[in-house]
Amino acid sequence: LATNKLFDVVVLAFLLPVRPVLDFSMYVQKMLVQKKLQAARDLFTHTVWRHHAVMDEHSLARGAIEILAISFAERILCPIIGYMLLGLPGALACVFITMLHDTVSNGAFSKAAIQAYSVVHWIPSRIAAALWIAASLFMPENRIKQVAGEIWPLMQEASPQVLSLAAAGHVLKLSLGGPASVYSGGKWLGNGTPKTLASHVGKAVYLFAVMCILVVVILGLVL
């Protein structure tokens, strides 16, 4: 039994791309600080940003933050919740459905993929939004009441990806998404500036790490 649990933990750890997501965003931030915009654009080559070749400094920074926000809910939190509910098959199902949603953008299976994605990620996206609110406590300016008031109305109806971006935008005082975003449906999400900078990416990386630590602490208390 202990061996099986160890195997499950190893597989689950392999499924969670915490380090790759952090490395990606930190490298984008580094390239932006050094004003190496082409190097930053090249990092988006194999992502959903098909227009990466024309992305400016602000859209590159927004892209890095959006990847952090979406990945936390989709690729980290969802498999953990799936594992807690159904064991390793639940975690693998979350990963498979996310990959299917990202891959099948049109065709006979696109509607089914979108519906399955929406069902599987509804709860993880809400928990992720709550963790964004909790993580705001660890920022120099304590705005948790304001942030909670801004995000809470979105909890009931917002789609998973929209909620993830809105939560990050409100906490970081940014407007994420916009017409070029593949996640927001063309909407600006958040209540701050869309002129995102490398410093904002640094704050997002910090909050991402805080949320991962909070998840570990919560799992330790629950399990």
Side-chain angles (χ1 to χ4, degrees), residues 174-185:
L174 296 172
S175 288
L176 301 176
S181 175
V182 296
Y183 296 128
S184 69

Side-chain angles (χ1 to χ4, degrees), residues 201-212:
V201 180
K203 290 181 180 179
V205 167
Y206 165 72
L207 290 174
F208 179 90
V210 169
M211 291 190 295
C212 288

Side-chain angles (χ1 to χ4, degrees), residues 190-206:
N191 62 348
T193 177
K195 295 184 177 180
T196 312
L197 303 173
S199 59
H200 295 119
V201 180
K203 290 181 180 179
V205 167
Y206 165 72

